[in-house]
Amino acid sequence: MEVSGEVYSQARLLSQSFLLGIWLMICYDILRISRFFLGRNRWLVGLEDLIYWMYVCFSVFDLLFRLNDGVLRGFAVTAVFLGMAVYDRIVSRNMMKVLQKFFNRIKIKHYKRKNRRSRSRADSKRGDENEAQEETVPDAQTGQMGEPDDLDRNYSGGA
C-alpha cells in the first residue's frame, strides 16, 4: 500500500507546522530571557512584542505558501499553536523557573556583598561619631543614677 503524494504533503505540513510552533516559542523565550536579565521599558516591550508577532505571522504565511500553495489549513495553524503550547508547558516554564532561581541567587549574593561593604564603611563612620558623641554628652545624661564623687567621678549610690 502506497501513500499518495497529497497525504504525504499534508503530513509534512502538519509536522512542519508543529516544529514551527516550537521554533517560535524558542524565539520568544530568547526575548523573555533578555527582558529578564536586562529589563525593558513598557514601550520597548510593546514594540518587541509587535515585531515578534509580525515575525510569527510571516513565518506561518511562508510555511503555508511553501508547503500548501498558500491555502490556509486549520490543522496547520492549530499545529503551530499546539507546538507552542507543548514547548511552553514542557521546556519553557521549567527553564524560566531555573533561570529565576539562578538570577535570584546572583542578586542575593550581589546584595550581600554590596551590603557588607556599605556596613563596614558605615560602622567605621558610626564608630567615630559615637566616640565624639560620648565625649560631648554630660554625665547626667548617660543614664547613670546617683551622685558623682568629687575625687574620681565614680558614681556611688543609686537603685
Side-chain angles (χ1 to χ4, degrees):
M1 186 169 128
E2 192 173 315
V3 178
S4 73
E6 185 66 25
V7 172
Y8 176 75
S9 67
Q10 296 300 310
R12 183 173 175 219
L13 175 63
L14 180 67
S15 63
Q16 292 289 320
S17 298
F18 185 79
L19 293 174
L20 178 64
I22 291 172
W23 168 250
L24 292 172
M25 279 306 292
I26 289 170
C27 293
Y28 195 69
D29 267 353
I30 292 169
L31 190 61
R32 288 196 309 185
I33 290 168
S34 71
R35 288 178 188 167
F36 188 71
F37 285 110
L38 302 176
R40 301 277 200 280
N41 293 333
R42 284 186 180 187
W43 67 270
L44 190 57
V45 169
L47 181 65
E48 288 173 345
D49 281 343
L50 177 69
I51 293 169
Y52 170 76
W53 284 107
M54 287 174 54
Y55 175 71
V56 168
C57 290
F58 288 128
S59 298
V60 171
F61 175 78
D62 180 59
L63 178 80
L64 290 172
F65 186 76
R66 280 185 300 109
L67 298 180
N68 203 37
D69 295 326
V71 178
L72 182 63
R73 300 280 186 193
F75 72 86
V77 175
T78 303
V80 169
F81 285 117
L82 185 63
M84 293 173 100
V86 166
Y87 177 84
D88 182 54
R89 300 280 187 213
I90 294 173
V91 178
S92 183
R93 288 185 182 197
N94 295 325
M95 182 176 61
M96 290 304 284
K97 286 178 185 177
V98 168
L99 283 174
Q100 190 170 15
K101 286 180 182 179
F102 175 73
F103 185 69
N104 286 340
R105 280 202 175 146
I106 290 173
K107 198 175 186 181
I108 289 170
K109 287 180 182 180
H110 175 72
Y111 177 75
K112 285 182 179 178
R113 190 177 311 133
K114 184 179 174 184
N115 217 5
R116 270 191 235 137
R117 288 180 192 157
S118 63
R119 278 189 198 161
S120 63
R121 290 178 191 153
D123 288 343
S124 65
K125 287 181 183 178
R126 266 193 235 124
D128 297 341
E129 291 171 2
N130 288 342
E131 290 171 6
Q133 186 179 11
E134 286 176 6
E135 294 172 5
T136 60
V137 174
D139 290 334
Q141 293 179 3
T142 58
Q144 298 289 333
M145 296 184 70
E147 296 295 324
D149 292 342
D150 288 333
L151 302 174
D152 58 2
R153 297 189 56 82
N154 289 331
Y155 288 91
S156 61

